[in-house]
Each structure stands twice: as structure tokens, then as C-alpha cells.
Short mmCIF file of all heavy atoms in Angstrom, two decimals:
data_model
loop_
_atom_site.label_atom_id
_atom_site.label_comp_id
_atom_site.label_asym_id
_atom_site.label_seq_id
_atom_site.Cartn_x
_atom_site.Cartn_y
_atom_site.Cartn_z
N MET A 1 0.84 -1.18 0.01
CA MET A 1 0.00 0.01 -0.01
C MET A 1 0.88 1.24 0.00
O MET A 1 1.83 1.35 0.76
CB MET A 1 -0.91 -0.01 1.22
CG MET A 1 -1.86 1.14 1.26
SD MET A 1 -3.10 0.89 2.49
CE MET A 1 -2.76 2.27 3.53
N ASP A 2 0.57 2.14 -0.85
CA ASP A 2 1.33 3.38 -0.98
C ASP A 2 0.87 4.42 0.04
O ASP A 2 -0.32 4.47 0.40
CB ASP A 2 1.17 3.96 -2.36
CG ASP A 2 2.35 3.69 -3.26
OD1 ASP A 2 3.36 3.19 -2.74
OD2 ASP A 2 2.24 3.98 -4.44
N ILE A 3 1.79 5.22 0.49
CA ILE A 3 1.44 6.33 1.36
C ILE A 3 0.69 7.39 0.56
O ILE A 3 -0.05 8.22 1.10
CB ILE A 3 2.70 6.90 2.05
CG1 ILE A 3 2.35 7.81 3.21
CG2 ILE A 3 3.58 7.62 1.08
CD1 ILE A 3 1.91 7.11 4.42
N ASP A 4 0.88 7.37 -0.78
CA ASP A 4 0.18 8.33 -1.64
C ASP A 4 -1.33 8.19 -1.53
O ASP A 4 -2.05 9.20 -1.62
CB ASP A 4 0.60 8.15 -3.09
CG ASP A 4 2.05 8.52 -3.34
OD1 ASP A 4 2.59 9.31 -2.54
OD2 ASP A 4 2.62 8.03 -4.33
N LEU A 5 -1.81 6.98 -1.36
CA LEU A 5 -3.26 6.75 -1.22
C LEU A 5 -3.80 7.49 -0.01
O LEU A 5 -4.86 8.11 -0.07
CB LEU A 5 -3.57 5.26 -1.14
CG LEU A 5 -5.03 4.89 -0.97
CD1 LEU A 5 -5.81 5.28 -2.21
CD2 LEU A 5 -5.16 3.42 -0.68
N ILE A 6 -3.07 7.44 1.08
CA ILE A 6 -3.52 8.11 2.31
C ILE A 6 -3.54 9.61 2.09
O ILE A 6 -4.48 10.31 2.52
CB ILE A 6 -2.60 7.72 3.48
CG1 ILE A 6 -2.76 6.23 3.76
CG2 ILE A 6 -2.91 8.54 4.73
CD1 ILE A 6 -1.78 5.68 4.75
N PHE A 7 -2.52 10.13 1.40
CA PHE A 7 -2.49 11.57 1.13
C PHE A 7 -3.61 11.99 0.20
O PHE A 7 -4.21 13.06 0.36
CB PHE A 7 -1.14 11.99 0.55
CG PHE A 7 -0.02 11.99 1.55
CD1 PHE A 7 1.23 11.51 1.21
CD2 PHE A 7 -0.21 12.47 2.84
CE1 PHE A 7 2.25 11.51 2.12
CE2 PHE A 7 0.81 12.47 3.76
CZ PHE A 7 2.07 11.99 3.41
N LYS A 8 -3.92 11.15 -0.79
CA LYS A 8 -5.02 11.45 -1.71
C LYS A 8 -6.36 11.50 -0.97
O LYS A 8 -7.18 12.39 -1.18
CB LYS A 8 -5.09 10.44 -2.83
CG LYS A 8 -4.01 10.60 -3.86
CD LYS A 8 -4.13 9.51 -4.92
CE LYS A 8 -2.96 9.54 -5.88
NZ LYS A 8 -3.04 8.45 -6.86
N ILE A 9 -6.58 10.52 -0.10
CA ILE A 9 -7.83 10.47 0.68
C ILE A 9 -7.92 11.68 1.61
O ILE A 9 -8.99 12.30 1.74
CB ILE A 9 -7.93 9.15 1.44
CG1 ILE A 9 -8.14 7.99 0.46
CG2 ILE A 9 -9.05 9.18 2.45
CD1 ILE A 9 -8.07 6.64 1.09
N ALA A 10 -6.80 12.04 2.23
CA ALA A 10 -6.80 13.21 3.11
C ALA A 10 -7.09 14.49 2.34
O ALA A 10 -7.84 15.35 2.80
CB ALA A 10 -5.46 13.31 3.82
N ALA A 11 -6.49 14.61 1.15
CA ALA A 11 -6.72 15.81 0.34
C ALA A 11 -8.17 15.91 -0.10
O ALA A 11 -8.77 16.99 -0.07
CB ALA A 11 -5.81 15.78 -0.89
N ILE A 12 -8.74 14.79 -0.49
CA ILE A 12 -10.16 14.79 -0.87
C ILE A 12 -11.03 15.18 0.32
O ILE A 12 -11.98 15.95 0.19
CB ILE A 12 -10.56 13.42 -1.45
CG1 ILE A 12 -9.90 13.21 -2.80
CG2 ILE A 12 -12.07 13.31 -1.60
CD1 ILE A 12 -10.05 11.80 -3.35
N GLY A 13 -10.70 14.65 1.50
CA GLY A 13 -11.46 15.00 2.69
C GLY A 13 -11.38 16.47 3.03
O GLY A 13 -12.40 17.08 3.38
N ILE A 14 -10.21 17.06 2.89
CA ILE A 14 -10.06 18.50 3.17
C ILE A 14 -10.83 19.33 2.17
O ILE A 14 -11.56 20.26 2.54
CB ILE A 14 -8.57 18.87 3.19
CG1 ILE A 14 -7.87 18.24 4.39
CG2 ILE A 14 -8.39 20.39 3.20
CD1 ILE A 14 -6.36 18.33 4.36
N ILE A 15 -10.71 18.98 0.89
CA ILE A 15 -11.42 19.75 -0.14
C ILE A 15 -12.93 19.64 0.04
O ILE A 15 -13.64 20.64 -0.04
CB ILE A 15 -11.00 19.26 -1.55
CG1 ILE A 15 -9.54 19.66 -1.81
CG2 ILE A 15 -11.91 19.82 -2.61
CD1 ILE A 15 -8.94 19.04 -3.04
N VAL A 16 -13.40 18.44 0.30
CA VAL A 16 -14.85 18.24 0.48
C VAL A 16 -15.35 18.98 1.72
O VAL A 16 -16.42 19.60 1.67
CB VAL A 16 -15.19 16.74 0.54
CG1 VAL A 16 -16.58 16.51 1.07
CG2 VAL A 16 -15.01 16.10 -0.82
N SER A 17 -14.60 18.97 2.79
CA SER A 17 -15.05 19.66 3.99
C SER A 17 -15.07 21.19 3.79
O SER A 17 -16.01 21.86 4.27
CB SER A 17 -14.17 19.31 5.19
OG SER A 17 -12.86 19.79 5.00
N VAL A 18 -14.09 21.72 3.07
CA VAL A 18 -14.10 23.16 2.79
C VAL A 18 -15.29 23.51 1.90
O VAL A 18 -16.01 24.49 2.16
CB VAL A 18 -12.76 23.60 2.16
CG1 VAL A 18 -12.86 25.01 1.59
CG2 VAL A 18 -11.64 23.51 3.17
N LEU A 19 -15.51 22.72 0.84
CA LEU A 19 -16.65 22.99 -0.04
C LEU A 19 -17.97 22.87 0.73
O LEU A 19 -18.90 23.66 0.51
CB LEU A 19 -16.64 22.02 -1.21
CG LEU A 19 -15.65 22.32 -2.32
CD1 LEU A 19 -15.66 21.18 -3.36
CD2 LEU A 19 -15.97 23.64 -2.98
N ASN A 20 -18.04 21.88 1.60
CA ASN A 20 -19.26 21.70 2.39
C ASN A 20 -19.53 22.92 3.26
O ASN A 20 -20.68 23.40 3.32
CB ASN A 20 -19.12 20.44 3.26
CG ASN A 20 -20.41 20.08 3.94
OD1 ASN A 20 -21.44 20.67 3.70
ND2 ASN A 20 -20.34 19.10 4.81
N GLN A 21 -18.52 23.43 3.91
CA GLN A 21 -18.69 24.61 4.78
C GLN A 21 -19.09 25.84 3.96
O GLN A 21 -19.97 26.61 4.37
CB GLN A 21 -17.41 24.89 5.56
CG GLN A 21 -17.11 23.88 6.62
CD GLN A 21 -18.18 23.84 7.69
OE1 GLN A 21 -18.67 24.88 8.13
NE2 GLN A 21 -18.57 22.65 8.10
N VAL A 22 -18.44 26.04 2.80
CA VAL A 22 -18.76 27.19 1.98
C VAL A 22 -20.20 27.12 1.48
O VAL A 22 -20.93 28.10 1.52
CB VAL A 22 -17.76 27.30 0.79
CG1 VAL A 22 -18.22 28.32 -0.23
CG2 VAL A 22 -16.37 27.65 1.32
N LEU A 23 -20.59 25.95 0.99
CA LEU A 23 -21.94 25.81 0.49
C LEU A 23 -22.99 25.91 1.59
O LEU A 23 -24.06 26.47 1.39
CB LEU A 23 -22.08 24.48 -0.27
CG LEU A 23 -21.35 24.41 -1.61
CD1 LEU A 23 -21.36 22.98 -2.13
CD2 LEU A 23 -21.97 25.36 -2.61
N ALA A 24 -22.69 25.35 2.76
CA ALA A 24 -23.65 25.42 3.87
C ALA A 24 -23.83 26.86 4.36
O ALA A 24 -24.94 27.27 4.67
CB ALA A 24 -23.17 24.53 5.00
N ARG A 25 -22.73 27.60 4.40
CA ARG A 25 -22.82 29.00 4.85
C ARG A 25 -23.57 29.87 3.87
O ARG A 25 -24.16 30.89 4.28
CB ARG A 25 -21.42 29.58 5.08
CG ARG A 25 -20.60 28.85 6.08
CD ARG A 25 -20.66 29.47 7.40
NE ARG A 25 -19.77 28.72 8.30
CZ ARG A 25 -19.93 28.68 9.57
NH1 ARG A 25 -20.95 29.33 10.11
NH2 ARG A 25 -19.12 27.99 10.32
N SER A 26 -23.54 29.51 2.60
CA SER A 26 -24.24 30.32 1.60
C SER A 26 -25.69 29.88 1.41
O SER A 26 -26.39 30.39 0.53
CB SER A 26 -23.50 30.29 0.27
OG SER A 26 -23.53 28.99 -0.28
N GLY A 27 -26.14 28.94 2.21
CA GLY A 27 -27.54 28.52 2.17
C GLY A 27 -27.84 27.42 1.17
O GLY A 27 -29.00 27.17 0.87
N ARG A 28 -26.84 26.80 0.63
CA ARG A 28 -27.03 25.72 -0.35
C ARG A 28 -26.76 24.38 0.32
O ARG A 28 -25.80 23.68 -0.01
CB ARG A 28 -26.10 25.93 -1.54
CG ARG A 28 -26.38 27.21 -2.26
CD ARG A 28 -25.44 27.37 -3.43
NE ARG A 28 -25.79 28.58 -4.17
CZ ARG A 28 -25.05 29.06 -5.13
NH1 ARG A 28 -23.94 28.43 -5.47
NH2 ARG A 28 -25.42 30.15 -5.76
N ASP A 29 -27.65 24.02 1.22
CA ASP A 29 -27.44 22.79 2.01
C ASP A 29 -27.54 21.54 1.14
O ASP A 29 -26.82 20.57 1.39
CB ASP A 29 -28.47 22.72 3.13
CG ASP A 29 -28.23 23.81 4.18
OD1 ASP A 29 -27.04 24.17 4.38
OD2 ASP A 29 -29.20 24.29 4.77
N GLU A 30 -28.41 21.56 0.14
CA GLU A 30 -28.55 20.37 -0.71
C GLU A 30 -27.27 20.12 -1.52
O GLU A 30 -26.83 18.99 -1.65
CB GLU A 30 -29.74 20.52 -1.64
CG GLU A 30 -31.07 20.50 -0.90
CD GLU A 30 -32.25 20.72 -1.84
OE1 GLU A 30 -32.05 20.79 -3.06
OE2 GLU A 30 -33.36 20.80 -1.32
N GLN A 31 -26.69 21.18 -2.06
CA GLN A 31 -25.45 21.03 -2.81
C GLN A 31 -24.31 20.59 -1.89
O GLN A 31 -23.42 19.85 -2.30
CB GLN A 31 -25.06 22.32 -3.54
CG GLN A 31 -25.86 22.58 -4.78
CD GLN A 31 -27.11 23.40 -4.51
OE1 GLN A 31 -27.39 23.75 -3.37
NE2 GLN A 31 -27.86 23.69 -5.56
N ALA A 32 -24.33 21.07 -0.65
CA ALA A 32 -23.31 20.67 0.31
C ALA A 32 -23.40 19.18 0.61
O ALA A 32 -22.39 18.49 0.65
CB ALA A 32 -23.46 21.48 1.61
N THR A 33 -24.61 18.69 0.75
CA THR A 33 -24.80 17.27 0.98
C THR A 33 -24.39 16.44 -0.22
O THR A 33 -23.71 15.41 -0.08
CB THR A 33 -26.28 16.98 1.33
OG1 THR A 33 -26.65 17.76 2.45
CG2 THR A 33 -26.49 15.51 1.64
N MET A 34 -24.72 16.91 -1.41
CA MET A 34 -24.32 16.19 -2.62
C MET A 34 -22.82 16.19 -2.80
O MET A 34 -22.23 15.20 -3.25
CB MET A 34 -25.00 16.80 -3.85
CG MET A 34 -26.50 16.61 -3.85
SD MET A 34 -27.01 14.90 -3.70
CE MET A 34 -26.58 14.31 -5.30
N THR A 35 -22.15 17.27 -2.44
CA THR A 35 -20.70 17.33 -2.51
C THR A 35 -20.07 16.32 -1.54
O THR A 35 -19.11 15.62 -1.91
CB THR A 35 -20.20 18.75 -2.17
OG1 THR A 35 -20.82 19.67 -3.05
CG2 THR A 35 -18.71 18.86 -2.30
N THR A 36 -20.61 16.23 -0.36
CA THR A 36 -20.11 15.27 0.61
C THR A 36 -20.30 13.84 0.12
O THR A 36 -19.39 13.02 0.22
CB THR A 36 -20.83 15.46 1.97
OG1 THR A 36 -20.65 16.81 2.39
CG2 THR A 36 -20.30 14.51 3.01
N LEU A 37 -21.46 13.56 -0.43
CA LEU A 37 -21.72 12.22 -0.97
C LEU A 37 -20.81 11.89 -2.14
O LEU A 37 -20.31 10.76 -2.28
CB LEU A 37 -23.18 12.07 -1.38
CG LEU A 37 -24.18 12.01 -0.24
CD1 LEU A 37 -25.60 11.99 -0.78
CD2 LEU A 37 -23.93 10.78 0.62
N ALA A 38 -20.56 12.87 -3.01
CA ALA A 38 -19.66 12.66 -4.14
C ALA A 38 -18.24 12.36 -3.66
O ALA A 38 -17.56 11.47 -4.18
CB ALA A 38 -19.67 13.87 -5.05
N GLY A 39 -17.79 13.10 -2.66
CA GLY A 39 -16.46 12.82 -2.09
C GLY A 39 -16.37 11.45 -1.48
O GLY A 39 -15.37 10.74 -1.64
N LEU A 40 -17.43 11.02 -0.81
CA LEU A 40 -17.48 9.70 -0.22
C LEU A 40 -17.41 8.61 -1.29
O LEU A 40 -16.68 7.62 -1.14
CB LEU A 40 -18.72 9.53 0.64
CG LEU A 40 -18.91 8.20 1.32
CD1 LEU A 40 -17.84 7.98 2.36
CD2 LEU A 40 -20.29 8.12 1.95
N VAL A 41 -18.14 8.81 -2.37
CA VAL A 41 -18.14 7.82 -3.46
C VAL A 41 -16.76 7.72 -4.10
O VAL A 41 -16.27 6.63 -4.39
CB VAL A 41 -19.22 8.17 -4.50
CG1 VAL A 41 -19.05 7.39 -5.78
CG2 VAL A 41 -20.60 7.96 -3.92
N VAL A 42 -16.11 8.85 -4.31
CA VAL A 42 -14.78 8.85 -4.91
C VAL A 42 -13.79 8.08 -4.02
O VAL A 42 -13.01 7.24 -4.49
CB VAL A 42 -14.29 10.29 -5.15
CG1 VAL A 42 -12.81 10.31 -5.51
CG2 VAL A 42 -15.10 10.94 -6.24
N VAL A 43 -13.82 8.36 -2.72
CA VAL A 43 -12.92 7.66 -1.80
C VAL A 43 -13.23 6.16 -1.75
O VAL A 43 -12.31 5.33 -1.74
CB VAL A 43 -12.97 8.31 -0.40
CG1 VAL A 43 -12.25 7.46 0.63
CG2 VAL A 43 -12.38 9.70 -0.44
N LEU A 44 -14.51 5.81 -1.72
CA LEU A 44 -14.86 4.40 -1.69
C LEU A 44 -14.42 3.66 -2.95
O LEU A 44 -14.00 2.50 -2.88
CB LEU A 44 -16.37 4.24 -1.47
CG LEU A 44 -16.87 4.53 -0.06
CD1 LEU A 44 -18.39 4.42 -0.02
CD2 LEU A 44 -16.25 3.59 0.94
N MET A 45 -14.49 4.33 -4.09
CA MET A 45 -14.02 3.71 -5.33
C MET A 45 -12.51 3.51 -5.29
O MET A 45 -12.01 2.48 -5.74
CB MET A 45 -14.44 4.54 -6.54
CG MET A 45 -15.93 4.47 -6.80
SD MET A 45 -16.42 5.36 -8.25
CE MET A 45 -15.65 4.40 -9.53
N MET A 46 -11.79 4.46 -4.74
CA MET A 46 -10.34 4.32 -4.62
C MET A 46 -9.99 3.15 -3.71
O MET A 46 -9.10 2.34 -4.02
CB MET A 46 -9.73 5.61 -4.07
CG MET A 46 -9.76 6.77 -5.02
SD MET A 46 -9.31 8.35 -4.28
CE MET A 46 -7.70 8.02 -3.64
N VAL A 47 -10.69 3.03 -2.61
CA VAL A 47 -10.43 1.94 -1.65
C VAL A 47 -10.84 0.60 -2.26
O VAL A 47 -10.15 -0.40 -2.09
CB VAL A 47 -11.16 2.21 -0.32
CG1 VAL A 47 -11.10 1.01 0.59
CG2 VAL A 47 -10.56 3.42 0.36
N ALA A 48 -11.92 0.57 -3.01
CA ALA A 48 -12.37 -0.66 -3.65
C ALA A 48 -11.35 -1.17 -4.65
O ALA A 48 -11.11 -2.37 -4.77
CB ALA A 48 -13.72 -0.45 -4.33
N GLN A 49 -10.71 -0.24 -5.38
CA GLN A 49 -9.67 -0.65 -6.32
C GLN A 49 -8.49 -1.26 -5.59
O GLN A 49 -7.91 -2.26 -6.04
CB GLN A 49 -9.20 0.55 -7.16
CG GLN A 49 -10.21 1.01 -8.17
CD GLN A 49 -9.76 2.27 -8.88
OE1 GLN A 49 -8.78 2.88 -8.52
NE2 GLN A 49 -10.53 2.64 -9.91
N GLU A 50 -8.12 -0.68 -4.47
CA GLU A 50 -7.01 -1.23 -3.69
C GLU A 50 -7.35 -2.61 -3.14
O GLU A 50 -6.51 -3.50 -3.09
CB GLU A 50 -6.62 -0.28 -2.56
CG GLU A 50 -5.99 1.01 -3.03
CD GLU A 50 -4.63 0.78 -3.67
OE1 GLU A 50 -3.86 -0.06 -3.21
OE2 GLU A 50 -4.37 1.46 -4.69
N ILE A 51 -8.59 -2.80 -2.70
CA ILE A 51 -9.02 -4.10 -2.18
C ILE A 51 -9.03 -5.14 -3.29
O ILE A 51 -8.61 -6.29 -3.08
CB ILE A 51 -10.38 -3.98 -1.49
CG1 ILE A 51 -10.26 -3.19 -0.20
CG2 ILE A 51 -10.98 -5.36 -1.22
CD1 ILE A 51 -11.56 -2.86 0.48
N ALA A 52 -9.43 -4.73 -4.49
CA ALA A 52 -9.41 -5.66 -5.63
C ALA A 52 -7.98 -6.08 -5.94
O ALA A 52 -7.72 -7.26 -6.23
CB ALA A 52 -10.05 -5.01 -6.85
N GLU A 53 -7.04 -5.14 -5.88
CA GLU A 53 -5.65 -5.48 -6.12
C GLU A 53 -5.12 -6.42 -5.04
O GLU A 53 -4.33 -7.32 -5.32
CB GLU A 53 -4.79 -4.21 -6.18
CG GLU A 53 -5.01 -3.38 -7.42
CD GLU A 53 -4.17 -2.12 -7.42
OE1 GLU A 53 -3.23 -2.01 -6.62
OE2 GLU A 53 -4.47 -1.22 -8.21
N LEU A 54 -5.56 -6.20 -3.80
CA LEU A 54 -5.15 -7.09 -2.71
C LEU A 54 -5.65 -8.52 -2.94
O LEU A 54 -4.91 -9.48 -2.77
CB LEU A 54 -5.67 -6.56 -1.37
CG LEU A 54 -5.45 -7.47 -0.16
CD1 LEU A 54 -3.98 -7.58 0.15
CD2 LEU A 54 -6.24 -6.95 1.04
N PHE A 55 -6.91 -8.66 -3.35
CA PHE A 55 -7.47 -9.99 -3.62
C PHE A 55 -6.73 -10.66 -4.78
O PHE A 55 -6.49 -11.87 -4.75
CB PHE A 55 -8.95 -9.93 -3.88
CG PHE A 55 -9.77 -9.73 -2.65
CD1 PHE A 55 -10.98 -9.04 -2.70
CD2 PHE A 55 -9.37 -10.24 -1.42
CE1 PHE A 55 -11.75 -8.86 -1.56
CE2 PHE A 55 -10.12 -10.06 -0.29
CZ PHE A 55 -11.32 -9.37 -0.35
N ASP A 56 -6.37 -9.88 -5.81
CA ASP A 56 -5.61 -10.45 -6.91
C ASP A 56 -4.24 -10.92 -6.44
O ASP A 56 -3.76 -11.98 -6.88
CB ASP A 56 -5.44 -9.42 -8.04
CG ASP A 56 -6.74 -9.21 -8.82
OD1 ASP A 56 -7.63 -10.10 -8.76
OD2 ASP A 56 -6.85 -8.14 -9.46
N LEU A 57 -3.60 -10.17 -5.57
CA LEU A 57 -2.31 -10.55 -5.02
C LEU A 57 -2.43 -11.84 -4.22
O LEU A 57 -1.60 -12.75 -4.34
CB LEU A 57 -1.73 -9.43 -4.18
CG LEU A 57 -0.40 -9.71 -3.51
CD1 LEU A 57 0.70 -9.84 -4.56
CD2 LEU A 57 -0.06 -8.60 -2.55
N VAL A 58 -3.44 -11.94 -3.36
CA VAL A 58 -3.63 -13.15 -2.56
C VAL A 58 -3.92 -14.33 -3.46
O VAL A 58 -3.41 -15.44 -3.24
CB VAL A 58 -4.75 -12.92 -1.53
CG1 VAL A 58 -5.14 -14.23 -0.85
CG2 VAL A 58 -4.31 -11.90 -0.48
N LYS A 59 -4.73 -14.11 -4.49
CA LYS A 59 -5.06 -15.17 -5.43
C LYS A 59 -3.79 -15.68 -6.15
O LYS A 59 -3.59 -16.88 -6.29
CB LYS A 59 -6.06 -14.64 -6.45
CG LYS A 59 -6.57 -15.63 -7.45
CD LYS A 59 -7.59 -14.97 -8.34
CE LYS A 59 -7.95 -15.81 -9.53
NZ LYS A 59 -8.88 -15.14 -10.43
N THR A 60 -2.95 -14.76 -6.56
CA THR A 60 -1.69 -15.14 -7.21
C THR A 60 -0.75 -15.84 -6.25
O THR A 60 -0.08 -16.80 -6.61
CB THR A 60 -1.03 -13.87 -7.81
OG1 THR A 60 -1.94 -13.24 -8.68
CG2 THR A 60 0.24 -14.25 -8.55
N LEU A 61 -0.71 -15.33 -5.04
CA LEU A 61 0.22 -15.87 -4.04
C LEU A 61 -0.11 -17.32 -3.69
O LEU A 61 0.78 -18.17 -3.58
CB LEU A 61 0.18 -15.00 -2.79
CG LEU A 61 1.15 -15.36 -1.67
CD1 LEU A 61 2.58 -15.16 -2.13
CD2 LEU A 61 0.87 -14.50 -0.45
N PHE A 62 -1.38 -17.65 -3.55
CA PHE A 62 -1.77 -18.97 -3.15
C PHE A 62 -2.19 -19.86 -4.33
O PHE A 62 -2.70 -20.95 -4.15
CB PHE A 62 -2.90 -18.92 -2.12
CG PHE A 62 -2.44 -18.37 -0.80
CD1 PHE A 62 -2.91 -17.14 -0.33
CD2 PHE A 62 -1.55 -19.08 -0.02
CE1 PHE A 62 -2.50 -16.65 0.88
CE2 PHE A 62 -1.11 -18.58 1.19
CZ PHE A 62 -1.60 -17.35 1.64
N HIS A 63 -2.01 -19.35 -5.55
CA HIS A 63 -2.28 -20.10 -6.79
C HIS A 63 -3.74 -20.58 -6.87
O HIS A 63 -4.00 -21.73 -7.22
CB HIS A 63 -1.34 -21.29 -6.93
CG HIS A 63 0.09 -20.90 -6.90
ND1 HIS A 63 0.69 -20.20 -7.93
CD2 HIS A 63 1.07 -21.10 -5.98
CE1 HIS A 63 1.95 -19.99 -7.64
NE2 HIS A 63 2.22 -20.53 -6.46
N PHE A 64 -4.66 -19.68 -6.56
CA PHE A 64 -6.09 -20.02 -6.68
C PHE A 64 -6.56 -19.83 -8.08
O PHE A 64 -6.25 -19.02 -8.80
CB PHE A 64 -6.95 -19.18 -5.74
CG PHE A 64 -6.80 -19.56 -4.29
CD1 PHE A 64 -6.72 -18.59 -3.31
CD2 PHE A 64 -6.76 -20.88 -3.90
CE1 PHE A 64 -6.62 -18.92 -1.99
CE2 PHE A 64 -6.63 -21.23 -2.56
CZ PHE A 64 -6.56 -20.25 -1.63
#
């Protein structure tokens, strides 16, 4: 696992939280919620790719 993945997730979290605060303060609560959900989906897709690579590695390692 790369340390870059952790930095990418942290950067996405910071950007999403700033956007959420800006949108919430300007009265656009629905867009703030959608931004948060979009950030969550992006991070989950990144993690899912890493888990898929892990399963492929285990499969190769044990010759399944």
C-alpha cells in the first residue's frame, strides 16, 4: 500500500469539507450534501480498487 493513497484520501477529505462549509454557509445545503456524498463515493471507489488489487495478489500468491 502506498502512502500516496492516504495523502489522496486526506486531500479529498479536506477539499470536500471546505466545499461543504462554503456551500452550507451560503444557504445551499442540498449542494453541500451532494458534494459530501460525491467525495465519499470517490474515496470508496479508490479503496475498492485497492481491495481488488489485494485480492488479486492473494489469489496469485496462493495459486487459486
Side-chain angles (χ1 to χ4, degrees):
M1 183 168 118
D2 258 352
I3 194 76
D4 293 337
L5 178 67
I6 295 171
F7 287 139
K8 286 178 186 177
I9 292 173
I12 290 171
I14 291 169
I15 291 169
V16 166
S17 65
V18 168
L19 283 174
N20 188 7
Q21 290 297 318
V22 168
L23 289 170
R25 301 263 183 206
S26 66
R28 298 180 177 172
D29 293 328
E30 292 178 5
Q31 284 91 358
T33 303
M34 293 305 287
T35 303
T36 303
L37 288 175
L40 180 65
V41 167
V42 168
V43 169
L44 286 176
M45 289 183 67
M46 290 170 57
V47 171
Q49 289 175 351
E50 291 295 321
I51 291 173
E53 289 178 16
L54 174 67
F55 285 149
D56 286 340
L57 178 67
V58 170
K59 184 178 168 183
T60 304
L61 183 65
F62 291 113
H63 303 290
F64 288 138

